Amino acid sequence: MTFQRTLFSQCAFFLTSLFFSYTLQAQQSSLRGKVVDKRTGETVSGARVLLAPEGKPRETQGKITPRDGSFEFTDLKPATYRITITAPLYKPLSRTETIGETMTSIEPEPTVFALTPDVRGLEEVVVTGVASRTQKSVAEIAVSRVDAAALTETNTYQDLTQLLAGKVAGVSIAPASGNVGGGVRFNVRSGGGLYGTGQPVIFVDGVRFDNSEFGFFAGGQLPSSLADLNPEDIQSVEVLKGPASSALYGTSGSNGVVLIKTKLGSRKAALNKFTIEAKAITGWNEPSRLYTEQQALSFREANALLRRGNLTQFSVGMSGNAGFVNYYASIDRRQEQGIIAQNALERTSFRANVEVFPSEIMSVKLNTNFVTSNILTPQNDDNVYGLLNNTLGFRPENVYSNAFGSNRPPNAQRALESVENSAFTQRFIASAEILLKPLAGLTLRGVAGYDGANNQFRDFFPATYPYIRITNGKRDLEYRRLEQFTVDLNAAYNAQILDDVQSTTIVGMQLFARTSRGFDLAAQDFATTLIEDVETARNFVAANESFREDREACVYVQEELNYKGAYFLSFGVRNDYASSVGPEAPTIFYPRASAAVRLDKMGVLPEEINLAKVRVAYGQSGQLPSSLDGVARYWGSIQSGYGVGALVQRIGNPAVQPERIAELEFGLEMEWENLYGFDATYYLQNASNSIVDFFNSPSTGLTVSSFPRNVGRIRGWGFESGVYATPLRTASTELRFNAVFNYADNVVEDIGGVAPLFAGVGRNVIMPGQRRSAFYLFRVLEPRYLADGNYDYAQGPKIDSVRSFTGASVPIVTGSLSVSFRFLNDFTFSAMAETALGHSLYNNSRMLSTNPARGNNLEYNTLATQLGLPGNAAQPSSIRALPAVEGVQRLTPNTSEYRAAAQRFALLDHRQFYNGVEPADWVRLREVSLSYNATNFLRGLVGSDVLKSLILTASARNLALWTRYSGVEVEVSRDGSRSLSRGLDNYTLEQPRVFNFSLSVGF
Amino acid sequence: MLHILFANISSVWKTIIRGGTDIFVCVLCLICASCSGFVQDIRRPIDLITDDALNTESQADFLIRGVQAQFSESYSDAALYAGGLSDELFFDSRTGAGGLVVYEEVDNALTIDRSNTTLITAQNRLGRYRFHADDIAQRAEKISFTLDSSHRRMAFQGFFHGAVARYFYAAYVGINKQQGGGVIDNGAFIPSSAMNDSALAKLTLASQNMTSAYETRLVSTFAARIHLMEGRFAAAQQAAQNGLRKGDASFQALFNLVSSNQLWLNAGLGRNVYLPARRFDTLYLRQDPLDTVRIKLRGPTTRSGFTFYTQTKYAAQDSPMPFLTWQENELMLAECELRLADNAASALTRINTVRTSYTGLRALPAGTAATLDLIYTERDKELFLTGMRIIDQRRFNRWHLRPDTWRYMPIVQPEINNNPNLPPLVRD
């Protein structure tokens, strides 16, 4: 007998000895069964069968069905048993079986257990509020669930965002760049309010998870905190998409809430007691597209920077159940190189999750995760040391001019690749959850969590090379310590208040505290090229230290009513408190209400329709001001040649309050024959009191920061839907389709009467009547000519007298189409394509190349030569200095050819921002994978249960991209767009094409 | 045993629930109060302090050093962009600075993007300098000092820097290509002459709070410069006569590695975005090689077939920049004597006094015609990279570009956008 078994029986004995007498000498019997598909009658393999004497769940035992769907339990005492059968994509089945004494040796016919398909997981329990959980089939709100554990079984993912991309209706995810470990931006619905980063709040096992970007400015593609989370540890991800659903989800949930649950052994999965799973992944990143001469004359130099980067990952996970303890533990290490020098990630993650059931009324869950990672980020964007900007931005003979000026060393590429920018992280995340059911209907739940990260950043320019603006090398050390505490307490009381009416009353509170402290120390001018530490650099050029503390709290009450399992109604209120709110602001109060009706329960719809639900939900939530926003004026110190002096460093507003976002959503969910279905949600978002960052005019002298005022309004609306179908389903073959379609739009209604706010060097606008962050520019109309018919470069083209809308910087329509095909029992092929439509980008990479001083665009140079601009004394010096393209004939002014060339040339003039905006709709073949589950094959071969599973997968990411955009990459999001800039391609590193091969073995 | 315990707990709970809403409401109120207390109980930032905490005598020096730091920033910004706009510095992409559009635009002076962040930053810094100068002048009256000298010192710094900031607006900023002037605290546009008057008014207030004779002379030299800019030669002469004397220390802007000299950073060894005009090497130094004591250049450097020199007057990130010197005062006197009394002999003496104050630099031979031309050239050399050239070009009417070019740095777009007293969207 195994150790677990012994432990199990001992504990059971301890707690139940007063009532039960556990004996092995009882009369024994057996139960034989067969699991089949209710629709097709075919056997179901891989079903999990759990058996326990009624009322004694701790005596559960289990089996997994092989290919013929059969199972057998022997040595059973005569009693009434509860049998529960679960299988992927089937509704759980639970019923009682009475086992009598069978003294004979005649084998009875196996009992048939028929499972109803549930391809959508409608019966799975989802989170609908901070203390509310219900089945998806009766949820009053749109909630999306991603079964991460199933996905990681047949594919491999670098991080959380890859896991979610294209799989959640209403959410699109834009990576900042192709940097390994780089930041991302979640675009949730129509964007919520006007203020803030628009990012959802992320909870991991009940702990608020820091999702900031950090590190030195190496260009707008900073490392992301999300890279710390190991996707192999994730069991499921649920997304609440707006205030209608997140109104009671504590503070700051106005842009949605992402709830991540990590893996845990399950008491229900008690069958094997424990499983050890080892997984090895190997593969590589490679450039998906190379630069061409049309993009830059120096395309060869840029392509020389791109490389193949290897990746490997090893993980060992152990999960199981030991009586009243469920556990999951894993160790995981990933090493990955990006497609450009100085881009790499190394992550080691340890996780230990334990769930204990000391009694039937209580459970305690402890989750701990320790991660250590090191991310190397290359110099990016238009930063003077940017690798791509130094190549793509200059003619081949002038490459690396930005980084070295006139002191360009012969080995400039190597010199720039020697710049090191690393972020070293140690992060510890822990949570404890206590669940108490002291009496029937009452559930008390308490969660306390901690997320603490130590980050060390190092920015290093070796003394060996003459980098511009740096004397003899530089070392910059930065340290950041961030700690977040989350406390969540709630009580739910469930009672039958009338005939057929169930009531659940929920009361709770949430506390959140965040402290961050950090310092920065930079020195340059190394005394020797041999030693690299900061002490060896002679001159300190920066020293900063900071400490911030923020707190948030909320109290909420909710009432949920359920009439006959067909009508659902709930309403609630929340009161918020936050330290960043100004002392003169009013109290913060948010209401919510929702209702749903199950039409299929009315008996009026055909039987084939197994789900027809209409739902409506309304809720309000808010976006808090930033830390310190509530204080009118803060002074700090400034270092200068005079010593240390005082200056205003922050301007705030004592009356600042959160932005308020109200959302109304209507939904319809239908499913036929448990195989085909769709869900659709239409929503309206209305944000008022939006915080607009006002900038004082320079003449006030108070421009060191913006200051917040609650004057804005923005309205958003959209439609999101998912369609799914399983047209083919037999024991050995299954074909599934899944499509996601999202439409989201918004219009800014008010920004408090200030002039339009231009972000991203004046390309994106925020102004009434326009979509947020739209490109809003002066259109280029036609070229101007000199009196003699020659092109007038000095005056430039004629432009419109007013600005107008010239493109949306965030896609209006996004969507995905996935297919999953299981064949020959054990092979699964899956693929997903994603698309974004109604989308434009500002191609700053091209705009900089068409600057005649850079002269690095073939078409521009050719046209300029045709127009006779290079070397022409009548033209300004900038264009005069542009080298003419050899072999290109000069056209004659005043001819139609000349004018046609001039027309095109006017549209390449770098001085007109309008010329940078390009349509950038795209379709991308995002995921392709093939996996082979060799478990059955091996079992047949080895004939033993030692090897519980063996899965081989091969997968690829970003295999193909179709777009008319002229640059290499369409998914760009400068700063992960924490800044206001949207859709700015500023020498953004392309998304790599990734190939992964994995082997997963279970013991 | 356990079930008895649970039964008890159940009955307690049932009592509580039956006990009604009173307790429930009380608990909620308690929770709310504790939430409110919880969020207010935070520690303050370690690197910041609220405004009123600085209203003490002991903070005076801390505040003054803040204004001084911003003086250095604003002065070197002004000298850089004014240098580019004038014929003192020029831009050439062949040094590797291609793509730094704004510097090229400023050099060409034909169209300058008012939304350029580099220019906005510079104007923000000037505004900040003005605000902080005025702030300490006001604060000096709020604080009760134990020492009158401390009060005078703070007030002097406030008024003096208030004057310098206003002078910067008058000299370097403009609403359009031809009209200089600036804006103070969201007010209406103030043309250069009115802005200079307001600078002089501040100087008068400063002079009521002086603590040394040197400060008196400093204020006079500065006033003389402003009068000269306005073409009031008699007033300029009168002020200059009370100005800095031979041997007086220069009034300098100081820098360090954190707050660097912009001319080093962008027009020097930091990077060669701007280069000194060719006349400095091909004309001045060729005529008088010993003038390298004033016109410090490194070179020639050749790149892509292009030969250029780099200034080394500010050879390091923290090289100080002279703002007011006795030499300038002397040249102002020479100019006034020429203009008012045509006293060429005295003017030449003064020019030579300036020249011979540098080791190795010879006096101009007797008989040299001391003309306004000579003054203009000597000022070009003496005041190399101090932001004076553009003022002189305007004063002497020697603009080097076509007439429809910028002679001031444009008031930036955020000022036009956010200042209710300025006309909306100006298109150039």
Side-chain angles (χ1 to χ4, degrees), chain A residues 480-650:
Chain A
R480 181 187 84 144
R481 179 175 174 79
L482 183 89
E483 290 178 290
Q484 299 195 151
F485 296 90
T486 315
V487 174
D488 200 341
L489 302 170
N490 55 63
Y493 184 69
N494 188 303
Q496 181 103 20
I497 52 169
L498 291 168
D499 287 348
D500 300 326
V501 179
Q502 284 279 334
S503 144
T504 308
T505 309
I506 297 166
V507 185
M509 71 185 293
Q510 206 175 48
L511 305 173
F512 175 69
R514 169 173 37 215
T515 56
S516 76
R517 60 190 85 220
F519 64 79
D520 175 17
L521 199 60
Q524 65 171 17
D525 197 355
F526 286 104
T528 166
T529 54
L530 303 174
I531 304 177
E532 300 174 349
D533 71 334
V534 72
E535 201 182 349
T536 311
R538 279 174 286 216
N539 292 317
F540 281 85
V541 291
N544 301 299
E545 197 182 347
S546 72
F547 171 81
R548 299 281 182 274
E549 183 168 15
D550 292 287
R551 288 184 174 189
E552 299 169 21
C554 76
V555 184
Y556 52 86
V557 181
Q558 168 147 299
E559 175 61 33
E560 297 172 357
L561 298 169
N562 170 343
Y563 175 64
K564 285 187 169 172
Y567 298 89
F568 305 89
L569 175 70
S570 72
F571 45 88
V573 290
R574 170 179 131 212
N575 210 38
D576 261 16
Y577 307 84
S579 59
S580 64
V581 170
E584 296 162 18
T587 50
I588 318 161
F589 176 79
Y590 301 114
R592 81 167 296 275
S594 59
V597 179
R598 278 288 291 270
L599 301 174
D600 58 302
K601 303 266 181 184
M602 311 273 162
V604 292
L605 296 173
E607 245 181 47
E608 292 75 40
I609 298 177
N610 60 295
L611 171 77
K613 182 177 71 173
V614 286
R615 51 180 165 76
V616 56
Y618 173 82
Q620 292 186 359
S621 190
Q623 195 65 28
L624 287 171
S626 308
S627 179
L628 310 182
D629 267 357
V631 173
R633 212 174 278 173
Y634 268 120
W635 289 68
S637 51
I638 179 178
Q639 280 218 7
S640 73
Y642 299 89
V644 180
L647 92 165
V648 175
Q649 284 206 332
R650 243 192 113 93

Side-chain angles (χ1 to χ4, degrees), chain A residues 116-164:
Chain A
T116 309
D118 179 22
V119 291
R120 191 59 173 174
L122 289 173
E123 300 306 318
E124 288 173 19
V125 172
V126 290
V127 175
T128 54
V130 67
S132 312
R133 274 140 195 79
T134 185
Q135 274 118 353
K136 194 168 159 40
S137 58
V138 300
E140 296 152 28
I141 53 168
V143 51
S144 296
R145 188 171 192 279
V146 174
D147 187 350
L151 288 170
T152 47
E153 204 163 274
T154 56
N155 205 334
T156 43
Y157 299 91
Q158 186 194 66
D159 57 26
L160 171 71
T161 53
Q162 288 192 354
L163 201 58
L164 298 183

Side-chain angles (χ1 to χ4, degrees), chain B residues 52-68:
Chain B
D52 50 357
L54 291 164
N55 285 333
T56 67
E57 188 175 1
S58 60
Q59 299 304 320
D61 279 348
F62 182 47
L63 287 161
I64 290 168
R65 282 194 299 271
V67 176
Q68 287 169 327

Side-chain angles (χ1 to χ4, degrees), chain A residues 469 507 524 539 541 547-549 551 577 579 635 640 642 644-646 648 695 697-699 701 801 878, chain B residues 24 32 38-39 43 47 49 51 62 65 72 104 127 130 132 185-186 252 254 257-258 266 271 317 415 418:
Chain A
R469 290 174 152 185
V507 185
Q524 65 171 17
N539 292 317
V541 291
F547 171 81
R548 299 281 182 274
E549 183 168 15
R551 288 184 174 189
Y577 307 84
S579 59
W635 289 68
S640 73
Y642 299 89
V644 180
V648 175
F695 280 93
S697 62
S699 67
S801 55
S878 48
Chain B
F24 180 72
C32 291
F38 171 77
V39 299
R43 288 160 286 176
D47 52 337
I49 192 74
D51 192 82
F62 182 47
R65 282 194 299 271
S72 297
E104 191 176 3
R130 197 277 311 157
H132 283 86
D185 205 7
N186 274 343
Q252 293 182 318
L254 304 181
L257 297 179
V258 179
N266 286 305
R271 66 176 184 184
Q317 217 161 334
E415 186 70 44
N418 302 329

Side-chain angles (χ1 to χ4, degrees), chain A residues 56 147 221 315 393 417 446 468 483 533 604 607 714 759 783 805 813 862 870 887 949 971:
Chain A
K56 300 174 190 173
D147 187 350
Q221 301 158 29
S315 53
E417 287 178 346
I468 202 159
E483 290 178 290
D533 71 334
V604 292
E607 245 181 47
I714 184 168
F805 172 79
V813 171
T862 307
S949 68
E971 291 181 86

